Structures are given as structure tokens and as C-alpha cells.
Amino acid sequence: MTTEFGATDLWVFGYGSLIWRPGFAFEESVQARLHGYHRSLCVFSHVHRGTPERPGLVLGLDRGGVCRGLAFRVAAGQAQETVDYLRAREQATAVYLERHVPLKLEDGRQVRGIVYVADRKHLQYAGKLPAAQLLKLVREGKGQSGENPDYVLQTHEHLRKMGIFDPVLADLAQQLAPGLGAPHPPLAG
């Protein structure tokens, strides 16, 4: 049996729940930037945070912009197992496309990493929704991995701790749990 991964260490880019619940062993994690994509609540969740009858919303990487997140370095010996785990987790309904992309790490290193981006042709691709619809879907979503508001609040809080401000998540957090979506402090400069 040939394996796709395992000759070298593997880098995985997390931009949503992978930041706070990676689910795999890693050697290091470093803040990183991914150019060409931005974080967006653009995926109807039919498994993890909703159902086909009552979809929730989860994050996807959509075209354009820059996304700050967390890059995880996985030891070569764990690479194939990690990719198998990620494929089962992220591609339960094939709404994400696996990509190998250049990442710029906070410490200046440049690496190639695996990431899952939203498939705009998939029926679960939500695109950019009005704020009221985002809130309604998030409030009502519940799936195998739990309630949709918890996903939004956890992601918002972990991004905030990393110094990353996402205005859509901050607004939703403020409406879901007043006080948590407080405006981002001004950057020194």
C-alpha cells in the first residue's frame, strides 16, 4: 500500500474549529497567513452543526483576501493518519476541497500546507448571507458536533485571543452572548 503523506512533516492550516479543536497530534502550532482566501460563514452545515432539514452555518475559506489562522506541524510519521482524519472530518458531505497551499508563518518561515476550502459549486455553499439570516441559522443549528452558537462563540473567542478580529463573528457573538462580541481593541501603531 502506498501512502500519499509521510515522507516529510505535514503542515495543516486551521481557520475555524481546527484552531480550538484540532483532533490530531502536532509538534508545533504557529500563527500563519493564507493569501487568496478569506474566512467566511459560507457553508450550510448538514452534519456537524446542523441537519439537512435545519442547517447550521460553519466557516469555509472563500475566494479573495487574506486569512489569518493557525498552522500545525505534524510529524511525518503521523501525516497520513492526520490527513485521513481530516478528510473524514472536513469532507463528510464533500463541501470542502482539499488544497495544498503556500502559508506564511508568523516567524517568517514559508511552508506548504493542507487546507480545506469551500466548494462554490456544492449545494451546501451558502455564499454571503444577510446578517439576520446568519443569526437565524446559527441560533437554530444543531448537529453531531453540538449547537451552532457554541461553534461561533468558541471560534470568536479563540480568534480574539490570537489577536484576530472577524467582524461577522464578533457581531454574531455579541447577539448570541452580549458582552462577548465587544469591539476589537485598536491596534497600536
Side-chain angles (χ1 to χ4, degrees):
M1 177 179 143
T2 349
T3 57
E4 273 179 272
F5 298 91
T8 60
D9 288 354
L10 171 74
W11 285 92
V12 177
F13 183 71
Y15 56 89
S17 63
L18 282 179
I19 291 173
W20 48 272
R21 191 177 60 88
F24 54 85
F26 55 91
E27 302 300 311
E28 69 176 307
S29 64
V30 183
Q31 284 201 39
R33 289 181 190 267
L34 170 61
H35 289 268
Y37 296 95
H38 66 280
R39 177 186 301 104
S40 175
L41 274 172
C42 65
V43 173
F44 291 118
S45 179
H46 289 177
V47 175
H48 291 290
R49 300 295 171 163
T51 64
E53 302 75 32
R54 183 172 271 180
L57 273 177
V58 290
L59 293 164
L61 286 174
D62 210 350
R63 292 191 294 230
V66 176
C67 183
R68 288 177 58 205
L70 208 51
F72 300 92
R73 183 174 60 81
V74 176
Q78 301 271 306
Q80 187 64 53
E81 177 184 330
T82 300
V83 171
D84 292 344
Y85 163 78
L86 289 169
R87 286 175 177 165
R89 174 178 168 167
E90 301 298 324
Q91 296 182 312
T93 60
V95 68
Y96 295 106
L97 303 171
E98 184 177 287
R99 296 288 184 252
H100 301 268
V101 297
L103 300 171
K104 181 160 185 163
L105 306 185
E106 184 180 57
D107 59 17
R109 288 180 287 170
Q110 295 194 24
V111 299
R112 287 194 67 80
I114 192 170
V115 69
Y116 294 88
V117 302
D119 180 355
R120 287 179 153 226
K121 295 177 185 166
H122 197 281
L123 63 92
Q124 285 176 248
Y125 176 72
K128 186 173 172 64
L129 299 172
Q133 191 176 3
L134 288 175
L135 181 61
K136 181 182 185 322
L137 288 163
V138 168
R139 276 196 172 135
E140 295 176 358
K142 181 177 183 178
Q144 289 178 5
S145 296
E147 296 185 7
N148 208 171
D150 293 339
Y151 169 87
V152 168
L153 293 170
Q154 284 274 15
T155 304
H156 167 70
E157 182 60 17
H158 282 81
L159 289 173
R160 191 185 65 74
K161 286 179 181 173
M162 292 170 60
I164 299 170
F165 179 65
D166 184 302
V168 173
L169 292 181
D171 183 55
L172 284 170
Q174 179 63 36
Q175 293 181 69
L176 295 167
L180 289 183
H184 189 59
L187 298 173

